[in-house]
Amino acid sequence: MATFRFREPSIIPGFRLTFGFTIFYLMVIVIIPIAGLFLKTFELDWQAFYPIISGPRFLAALKLSFGASLLAAMFNAVIGVLVAWVLVRYEFPGRRALDAMVDLPFALPTAVAGISLASIYSPNGWIGSLFAPFGIKIAYTPLGIWIALVFIGLPFVVRSVQPVLQDFSKEIEEASATLGASRPQTISRVMLPALLPAILTGFSLAFARAVGEYGSVIFIAGNLPRQTEILPLLIVFRLEEFNYAAAAAIAAVMLVASFIILLAINLIQVWSQRRFGNG
Amino acid sequence: MTLKRSSLVVAAAIAATVQFGGLGLAFAQDALTNVSYDPTRELYRKYNDAFTKHWKETTGRDVTVTATHGGSGSQVRTVIDGLPADVVTLALASDILAAEEAGLIEPGWQSEFPKNSSPYYSTIVFLVRSSNPKNIKDWDDLIRDDVEVITPNPKTSGGARWNYLAAWAYELDRSGGDENAAKDFVAKLYANVPVLDSGARGSTNTFVKNGTGDVLLAWENEAFLALEELEPGSVEIVVPKFSILAEPPVAIVDKNVDEKGTRELAKAYLDYLYSPEGQKIIASSYYRPQHPEHADPEDVARFPDLKLITIDEFGGWKEAQSKHFGDGGIFDQIYSSN
């Protein structure tokens, strides 16, 4: 273990300046707003706080928000790797255009995304009308929420996996094959362990974004209490009642829950790095 | 040495800011911000042009009017949180009351302008599919098992509160004042709602564009807009025999105009809404004018007569708001009981 030295001699100096800026920036942008959120929450005593976070409506929304976000992030983890694989490994006409298109969900205003998705997946929309004859409703159901979350989360996985895949040399696959591994073995024992940290990073980013997503979901969700009502909407209700403390309380619970899940993902990441070596 | 150089940079930056700040002031002209709600977009686009012209003619000064639109409740929050609005023109008095409680608007604003400070009014009507396949005529039909009703969430949408109160008032009137019957009625009505959008425009979209539901409860002005501008021929308006008088009030944001010195301009802006030109624009934007004699007769002919109940029958907005839409209010109760 090297002892920590405050000013490491470096080719590019400026630790103090950059560190100071980093701390200042994080204070202003992240720490102060979040501290404010928790301070607002502490305006409530337990008697006021507990009913807010224990009602059946809150619990249903909590389950829906986190459940749909996890499922969407998992789906994106699989499809995102596939997309990244295709973009990295194959040459085909229009590859660059396709590559650029992956970022569109980042660029599109979320309300626009939500309204478009709702029109496409509603019973008389392009895709919704294909499913309507079988009695499958997509828009205004939890399924619709999941689709919106998949839409906004996809770029995170693709963009985290892509560079790792690019650096992953084909020779390793060939070596694995010459040493007698079957194709599934090469994928599961050689490629996936190397990609896992990147996949997990993409997964957590997609998940975190999905939990807080409001704009795109609200138009396709249906917003029925205990059925298709997401947690951020409950926060908006409290704001409409000018009950800022209750809104902050819900947000704080979301934040803590997200933090626990992201921490768990981080631990898996550390574990996998130890187990399989650096990805 | 470095210190000197960096302080030079800072000095230059400050100088530049001051320079451009001054430049901004030199070009300043009259400016007014109107924070409004969703369905008034078309009305205020036309009205702002007319007012700009009127202001130039009467004072010789140029004015830039900026209007912002959105859900009434979130709009008033932007003002409370510091958006320097000169006037607010919102969906309901309770949102302006919130600004009054925040100390931005002085009490008594509702008598500052004629007609409860409401230069226009509207009501809640039904929008149904073309040729009314479900034969929806009145409020009774909305609680039938085979009818799907589209209305936004009264928790987030000002318009939706009028919808809810109109339904409540209908049953209260029909049952001779039985509040339990009224509560059952709205509970049944909301059991028929498959999608609770967060705002009026979202609901219109769900109904007209996405083809969900049999009937949309809408502001009359929004219904006309959907009829004539969004999807001609696919929907039609049904006017119930009984509805609510929806008065979207206007007010000067006293604290902001006093700080900016724009009171005169703000007052002129709202006064002009009551002028013959203002009333004419109002009627052509599908709002009911307070002075129909100034509007085009064909615009006025669009508005059928119906029995309109006022918010005073609910004891005013303050009371209606906390009783029906507050945390744990009747709207919350109907969703936790069914």
Side-chain angles (χ1 to χ4, degrees):
Chain A
M1 280 282 265
T3 45
F4 178 75
R5 273 190 297 170
F6 195 62
R7 296 188 77 180
E8 195 102 8
S10 155
I11 297 175
I12 305 171
F15 170 75
R16 264 202 286 205
L17 187 67
T18 50
F19 184 74
F21 183 76
T22 304
I23 292 294
F24 172 75
Y25 185 75
L26 286 180
M27 269 313 242
V28 173
I29 302 289
V30 183
I31 298 174
I32 291 178
I34 289 183
L37 180 76
F38 280 98
L39 276 180
K40 197 87 202 165
T41 310
F42 289 137
E43 282 179 10
L44 300 167
D45 53 8
W46 182 250
Q47 264 77 32
F49 181 66
Y50 185 70
I52 295 172
I53 57 148
S54 62
R57 228 169 124 177
F58 173 84
L59 293 176
L62 184 83
K63 229 190 278 173
L64 177 67
S65 268
F66 280 89
S69 299
L70 274 176
L71 288 176
M74 281 178 197
F75 184 79
N76 273 332
V78 176
I79 299 295
V81 171
L82 194 79
V83 172
W85 173 264
V86 168
L87 290 176
V88 169
R89 279 302 160 88
Y90 305 111
E91 275 298 336
F92 52 91
R95 188 177 68 103
R96 278 186 192 285
L98 206 66
D99 199 5
M101 255 163 59
V102 170
D103 286 332
L104 278 186
F106 274 156
L108 205 60
T110 51
V112 175
I115 292 174
S116 324
L117 288 172
S119 339
I120 292 171
Y121 287 99
S122 71
N124 63 356
W126 289 346
I127 300 178
S129 60
L130 301 177
F131 287 90
F134 306 104
I136 301 173
K137 281 176 73 179
I138 301 176
Y140 315 125
T141 67
L143 190 61
I145 297 176
W146 178 77
I147 284 177
L149 297 181
V150 167
F151 175 82
I152 53 143
L154 181 71
F156 291 99
V157 180
V158 178
R159 290 296 178 241
S160 348
V161 172
Q162 219 173 3
V164 182
L165 209 53
Q166 232 138 23
D167 290 343
F168 193 82
S169 59
K170 256 190 174 148
E171 286 76 14
I172 299 176
E173 286 160 59
E174 286 163 6
S176 151
T178 43
L179 288 171
S182 66
R183 280 171 185 173
Q185 273 175 327
T186 305
I187 291 174
S188 67
R189 315 203 60 157
V190 177
M191 302 221 51
L192 275 187
L195 290 180
L196 196 62
I199 297 175
L200 284 174
T201 303
F203 175 87
S204 10
L205 287 173
F207 169 75
R209 168 78 196 265
V211 167
E213 180 63 18
Y214 180 75
S216 61
V217 178
I218 218 65
F219 291 97
I220 198 171
N223 307 327
L224 290 184
R226 278 187 282 172
Q227 293 172 36
T228 49
E229 197 172 66
I230 56 168
L231 265 186
L233 183 63
L234 289 188
I235 297 178
V236 174
F237 288 162
R238 299 306 177 148
L239 290 177
E240 293 292 328
E241 293 162 1
F242 302 100
N243 190 349
Y244 287 17
I250 300 176
V253 171
M254 282 181 79
L255 212 59
V256 170
S258 301
F259 181 74
I260 291 170
I261 292 175
L262 292 177
L263 192 70
I265 296 172
N266 249 323
L267 290 178
I268 299 176
Q269 220 164 0
V270 170
W271 170 81
S272 87
Q273 258 162 9
R274 277 211 197 114
R275 171 87 171 65
F276 300 110
N278 201 2
Chain B
M1 179 65 203
T2 39
L3 197 81
K4 262 186 194 156
R5 206 187 299 153
S6 62
S7 54
L8 210 69
V9 172
V10 172
I14 292 172
T17 319
V18 172
Q19 270 293 321
F20 283 109
L23 220 63
L25 267 177
F27 279 118
Q29 49 165 348
D30 290 339
L32 179 119
T33 305
N34 173 10
V35 169
S36 194
Y37 62 109
D38 246 335
T40 55
R41 244 170 259 267
E42 289 76 9
L43 164 65
Y44 280 109
R45 200 179 298 141
K46 281 190 250 173
Y47 177 75
N48 290 344
D49 287 346
F51 177 75
T52 311
K53 224 182 278 166
H54 167 76
W55 188 247
K56 178 93 182 162
E57 277 163 15
T58 52
T59 66
R61 293 171 63 88
D62 288 314
V63 61
T64 322
V65 181
T66 314
T68 71
H69 301 271
S72 191
S74 44
Q75 287 293 88
V76 74
R77 257 200 328 278
T78 64
V79 178
I80 293 172
D81 293 343
L83 184 94
D86 301 282
V87 299
V88 285
T89 55
L90 296 169
L92 24 93
S94 69
D95 286 330
I96 299 187
L97 282 173
E100 181 192 317
E101 272 163 29
L104 292 168
I105 296 174
E106 279 151 27
W109 56 270
Q110 198 134 32
S111 45
E112 205 171 335
F113 293 94
K115 304 266 180 191
N116 286 331
S117 288
S118 305
Y120 41 82
Y121 65 100
S122 193
T123 186
I124 300 302
V125 298
F126 305 160
L127 202 64
V128 298
R129 306 271 168 220
S130 181
S131 70
N132 200 356
K134 292 270 168 101
N135 193 27
I136 294 161
K137 290 272 161 61
D138 212 342
W139 292 96
D140 275 345
D141 296 311
L142 303 186
I143 59 165
R144 270 168 27 201
D145 287 341
D146 63 327
V147 171
E148 279 191 335
V149 183
I150 304 294
T151 172
N153 194 325
K155 288 270 197 177
T156 47
S157 157
R161 280 173 219 165
W162 292 113
N163 296 351
Y164 168 101
L165 291 175
W168 176 279
Y170 165 81
E171 182 61 18
L172 202 63
D173 184 66
R174 200 197 57 80
S175 66
D178 183 352
E179 288 224 341
N180 285 325
K183 190 173 167 185
D184 276 353
F185 185 82
V186 291
K188 275 189 203 145
L189 194 154
Y190 278 93
N192 281 349
V193 177
V195 180
L196 273 177
D197 279 294
S198 56
R201 274 285 149 96
S203 280
T204 308
N205 215 43
T206 298
F207 181 75
V208 179
K209 295 252 193 265
N210 301 348
T212 301
D214 302 305
V215 52
L216 172 75
L217 304 187
W219 293 88
E220 186 177 51
N221 55 289
E222 187 80 347
F224 273 116
L225 213 63
L227 198 66
E228 290 174 26
E229 288 177 15
L230 294 176
E231 296 271 314
S234 64
V235 287
E236 60 184 60
I237 293 176
V238 170
V239 180
K241 290 186 198 71
F242 181 100
S243 196
I244 195 160
L245 175 75
E247 287 181 320
V250 301
I252 294 175
V253 185
D254 295 299
K255 186 159 174 273
N256 293 349
V257 295
D258 286 346
E259 265 167 29
K260 300 200 286 184
T262 49
R263 180 175 288 280
E264 198 190 338
L265 171 66
K267 187 164 176 354
Y269 181 79
L270 295 183
D271 273 336
Y272 193 60
L273 281 167
Y274 293 89
S275 71
E277 295 79 13
Q279 293 287 304
K280 205 176 152 97
I281 292 170
I282 283 167
S284 74
S285 307
Y286 310 122
Y287 278 91
R288 294 187 180 219
Q290 296 285 14
H291 301 289
E293 65 275 14
H294 296 315
D296 272 340
E298 23 187 312
D299 285 336
V300 177
R302 271 199 296 255
F303 305 123
D305 277 333
L306 70 165
K307 188 179 169 193
L308 293 174
I309 187 175
T310 72
I311 191 69
D312 297 335
E313 316 239 351
F314 292 87
W317 264 114
K318 231 175 215 163
E319 171 137 12
Q321 177 69 24
S322 60
K323 178 175 170 186
H324 292 275
F325 311 118
D327 186 24
I330 293 176
F331 184 75
D332 277 346
Q333 290 167 29
I334 65 175
Y335 266 109
S336 46
S337 63
N338 65 14

